[in-house]
């Protein structure tokens, strides 16, 4: 295997097929067993609502991060606004006014370091998943940090196969909310890296300023 970046359209077509063709065995969001991001568990209890599932998942990630890095007065101020205002503002419209979200199987940690090219076939591979059934766009929160190499060409290729969820004007906000979830887990994983706490705080402050 090599770590070259895959062709955007070939990669996006295969990822879109996983998202679109997968079927949750319960029709709900979650997974039948605990999955792990690094050595940290994700909460995967089945939920009918994506907003409810994501909220529980986000709370657990924050609990793990605060346990790893300690309390912070800024977090004490920001977290209630995140859960009371920001998450409902960005996720509730997905399941309002007759709209619904399909629970799609996601990789769950799809950054470029977890992908590669199979040398004999030239086909793209992904590995080191922490999967569950989620809103398909959750996958792309991991594509938002500046260190990521799945750039706009990959998102554009994906959305040539799968339309953005309604409402489209909230798309960037949703992906930034999903990015916060990933950056929170990363900060919890690397306990000595204080810069990751600052990155998470900046993400949260930005979302609160825009949607809180």
């Amino acid at each position: 295997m090599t770590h070259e970046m895959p062709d955007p359209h070939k990669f996006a077509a295969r990822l879109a097929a996983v998202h679109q063709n997968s079927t949750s065995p319960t029709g709900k969001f979650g997974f039948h067993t605990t999955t792990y991001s690094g050595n940290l568990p994700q909460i995967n209890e089945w939920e009918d609502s994506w907003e409810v599932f994501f909220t529980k998942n986000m709370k657990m990630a924050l609990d793990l991060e605060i346990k790893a890095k300690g309390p912070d007065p800024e977090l004490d101020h920001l977290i209630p606004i995140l859960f009371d205002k920001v998450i409902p503002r960005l996720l509730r419209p997905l399941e309002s006014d007759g709209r619904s979200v399909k629970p799609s199987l996601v990789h769950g940690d799809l950054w470029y370091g977890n992908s590669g090219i199979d040398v004999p076939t030239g086909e793209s591979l992904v590995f080191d998943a922490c999967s569950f059934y989620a809103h398909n766009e959750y996958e792309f929160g991991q594509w938002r940090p500046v260190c990521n190499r799945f750039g706009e060409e990959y998102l554009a290729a994906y959305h040539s196969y799968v339309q953005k969820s309604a409402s489209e004007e909230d798309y960037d906000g949703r992906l930034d909310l999903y990015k916060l979830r990933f950056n929170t887990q990363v900060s919890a994983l690397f306990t000595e890296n204080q810069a990751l706490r600052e990155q998470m705080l900046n993400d949260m402050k930005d979302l609160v300023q825009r949607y809180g």
Side-chain angles (χ1 to χ4, degrees):
M1 185 172 62
T2 68
H3 283 283
E4 297 170 17
M5 293 300 291
D7 175 82
H9 272 277
K10 285 183 179 179
F11 185 81
R14 299 181 81 177
L15 183 60
V18 171
H19 290 167
Q20 290 184 301
N21 298 336
S22 56
T23 301
S24 167
T26 64
K28 299 180 181 184
F29 301 96
F31 209 58
H32 65 279
T33 190
T34 301
T35 53
Y36 287 78
S37 175
N39 65 346
L40 298 177
Q42 299 187 124
I43 189 166
N44 283 336
E45 297 169 356
W46 296 109
E47 295 289 349
D48 291 307
S49 162
W50 170 241
E51 181 189 342
V52 171
F53 178 88
F54 180 84
T55 298
K56 291 174 71 173
N57 201 280
M58 187 73 224
K59 281 181 177 174
M60 184 171 186
L62 279 165
D63 287 346
L64 291 168
E65 202 278 345
I66 292 168
K67 183 178 179 182
K69 294 259 169 73
D72 185 289
E74 281 196 286
L75 282 175
D76 293 340
H77 169 68
L78 292 166
I79 286 174
I81 305 171
L82 176 72
F83 288 107
D84 293 344
K85 299 285 184 70
V86 176
I87 292 176
R89 165 64 186 83
L90 288 171
L91 299 190
R92 195 161 297 170
L94 292 167
E95 300 172 302
S96 302
D97 300 322
R99 291 187 287 268
S100 62
V101 178
K102 173 192 179 294
S104 297
L105 185 66
V106 295
H107 177 283
D109 192 19
L110 192 53
W111 68 296
Y112 71 88
N114 287 343
S115 71
I117 302 294
D118 181 56
V119 173
T121 66
E123 295 291 340
S124 58
L125 298 170
V126 295
F127 50 90
D128 200 18
C130 49
S131 296
F132 56 93
Y133 290 90
H135 179 210
N136 64 304
E137 290 174 2
Y138 175 85
E139 200 88 275
F140 307 125
Q142 190 67 300
W143 295 10
R144 300 295 265 190
V146 291
C147 63
N148 176 64
R149 291 168 62 191
F150 285 118
E152 288 297 324
E153 67 274 23
Y154 288 88
L155 276 174
Y158 179 88
H159 288 301
S160 71
Y161 300 102
V162 181
Q163 189 174 354
K164 293 175 183 177
S165 298
S167 57
E168 282 194 37
E169 59 264 29
D170 292 336
Y171 175 79
D172 283 325
R174 288 195 300 268
L175 266 56
D176 285 336
L177 177 62
Y178 300 155
K179 177 182 77 166
L180 171 65
R181 163 64 181 78
F182 284 106
N183 282 345
T184 301
Q185 195 88 4
V186 169
S187 182
L189 278 167
F190 296 96
T191 56
E192 302 303 315
N193 188 333
Q194 196 60 30
L196 296 172
R197 161 67 67 90
E198 292 302 316
Q199 178 178 269
M200 183 194 79
L201 275 170
N202 288 335
D203 290 343
M204 202 178 296
K205 284 187 276 192
D206 175 62
L207 285 163
V208 165
Q209 184 176 20
R210 288 155 66 193
Y211 301 105

